[in-house]
């Protein structure tokens, strides 16, 4: 990526813990929810019920939610897949982990499945700056907070057809 190798100074990224060594992060400007898709007939109501012995959860390789589940699942079997939806449809998978909006779209076209209301994780979207850019990071942080407080971020999401994406709350001390 250009921000890591120095060919650019700023990037809009997910704030993965593994990136913190290389980047300075602004406060988050939006939150992407990780959710589970299950068969509609299943009585599961939340993430804690999905992470149970004997259950299998599929996620697409290389995604933020796959990395999160690899670190955080306690009991369920984690299945990495090139196509988690295809693995689910092939059978033997109890839930698909993914970003809420695509899961909801998929479920809307398939009445035999549903998306659990409670998220299992949130992915903070931030402005990432190369290390050493402390003054720029301070400016970007203040600007992000102003854009959230003014309603600019919410309006931009709404205008772009992403009304279902969550604006991050104000950072502590803002």
């Amino acid at each position: 990526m250009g921000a890591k190798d120095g060919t650019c100074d700023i990037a809009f990224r997910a704030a993965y813990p593994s990136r913190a060594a290389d980047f300075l992060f602004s406060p988050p400007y939006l939150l992407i929810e990780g959710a589970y898709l299950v068969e509609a007939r299943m009585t599961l109501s939340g993430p804690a019920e999905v992470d149970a012995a004997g259950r299998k959860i599929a996620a697409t390789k290389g995604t933020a939610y796959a990395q999160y589940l690899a670190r955080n699942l306690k009991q369920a079997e984690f299945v990495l897949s090139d196509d988690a939806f295809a693995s689910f449809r092939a059978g033997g998978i109890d839930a698909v982990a993914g970003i809420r909006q695509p899961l909801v779209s998929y479920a809307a076209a398939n009445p035999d499945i549903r998306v659990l209301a409670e998220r299992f994780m949130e992915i903070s979207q931030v402005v990432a700056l190369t290390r050493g850019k402390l003054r720029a990071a301070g400016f970007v942080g203040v600007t992000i907070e102003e854009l959230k407080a003014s309603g600019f971020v919410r309006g931009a999401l709404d205008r772009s057809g992403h009304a279902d994406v969550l604006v991050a709350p104000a950072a502590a001390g803002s």
Side-chain angles (χ1 to χ4, degrees), residues 19-108:
R19 292 180 175 156
D22 296 320
F23 300 103
L24 299 171
F25 295 146
S26 74
Y29 57 91
L30 62 88
L31 303 174
I32 296 173
E33 295 180 282
Y36 290 125
L37 178 136
V38 299
E39 292 181 3
R41 64 176 176 73
M42 293 184 83
T43 60
L44 300 171
S45 63
E49 293 177 28
V50 176
D51 186 8
R55 296 208 194 286
K56 291 184 180 180
I57 301 170
T60 301
K61 293 176 184 174
T63 59
Y65 44 88
Q67 293 174 23
Y68 175 88
L69 291 172
R71 291 188 312 266
N72 292 286
L73 282 178
K74 304 289 187 241
Q75 298 181 50
E77 181 182 340
F78 181 49
V79 178
L80 278 174
S81 174
D82 290 327
D83 184 341
F85 290 107
S87 297
F88 177 74
R89 287 303 195 185
I93 300 293
D94 298 294
V96 172
I99 295 171
R100 180 172 301 283
Q101 290 78 7
L103 294 180
V104 167
S105 293
Y106 188 77

